[in-house]
Amino acid sequence: MKDLENNRIEDYPSISQSEVCPYIPGLNPFPALCFTDDEVNWQTHKAPYTDLANQSRYSTYSDGNDGYFFYKTVEALSSEPISDPVGSYFGKLLDLPVIPTGLMVSTNHTGRHILGVVSQVVSWTGLAADDDVPDEKILNRMNKSALVGDGILRAWMRDHDHRWSHVMIVTGSDSTQYYYIIDHGRAFEDAQSRWNEKALLDSGVGECLWETQCAFEVAMGYVRKIQKIPDWEIATKPIEIALSIQKYNIPQKQWYLRRAYEMSSFLIKSKRTLEHDIKNWFGRT
């Protein structure tokens, strides 16, 4: 649990046009986490229990200091317990204001292990409500470079699920407003039982980018950061998470290992084509 704590509000970028490229001090790449009922007092932390259908359940626990832990269980054979922590990990490598997210393993009333994700969130106030219409006053004041970077991250991972309600706003003790970005769980086009690497590589990146002014130079700066991530690190992270799943009583748990290998292969190939894909979207080829 300590890996989730001590992320101060001030570690996120402020909403300021003066910052060209926000830097997030003090936040290290977030590791994959495995929690069981033996390691965490679920009653205290209000972690969710689910029925045998593994229907999604949400729960939160306030740490009493700057934020909440957010727990979500997912359906069986969902890629989210791998893709969401992977997005969080690489988002931190790119110095993006993404929330720390890790794998969660809980137990239902039958003793079967249930997969999910756990995140630390600083605020529940989104830039948009359920209608996904952003607060224009805040949006116009925001430094957009982190949104550009998150769009490039999502383009790399083929994550089309970016919504203004995924941009969270929080006010610090000095009344300065900060923002951070949540939810990369539907990366790889939310691939479930079917996997088609060629179709993913051929899919467009434009739908992954945020609907905001996107400077070509800023976008290419994030592309180059991704290009500098070693292939071994890209390959390791999804597989590391999937391997940790194997020791639990999870139905069809080898599926997650196979999917992790597929994710690793795709991310390495997508890194090779990302510069061309982004330049093509900007009409710079």
Side-chain angles (χ1 to χ4, degrees), residues 63-106:
D63 63 7
N65 180 31
D66 289 346
Y68 300 84
F69 296 111
F70 171 76
Y71 303 92
K72 177 186 178 183
T73 54
V74 299
E75 296 179 357
L77 303 186
S78 166
S79 300
E80 190 169 351
I82 301 176
S83 57
D84 211 355
V86 165
S88 175
Y89 177 84
F90 288 118
K92 292 297 170 59
L93 287 189
L94 300 179
D95 291 331
L96 293 172
V98 297
I99 59 171
T101 300
L103 171 70
M104 179 184 78
V105 182
S106 61

Side-chain angles (χ1 to χ4, degrees), residues 218-248:
V218 176
M220 290 306 300
Y222 284 105
V223 170
R224 295 186 184 98
K225 283 187 176 184
I226 291 173
Q227 290 173 331
K228 291 179 180 179
I229 303 175
D231 285 356
W232 66 262
E233 188 168 7
I234 294 172
T236 298
K237 183 49 58 178
I239 295 171
E240 175 186 279
I241 300 171
L243 284 173
S244 66
I245 293 173
Q246 302 306 303
K247 62 182 178 179
Y248 296 103

Side-chain angles (χ1 to χ4, degrees), residues 150-163:
D150 184 70
I152 297 300
L153 171 66
R154 292 176 188 269
W156 177 34
M157 300 178 65
R158 296 303 195 273
D159 179 4
H160 298 165
D161 186 35
H162 63 291
R163 288 174 274 173

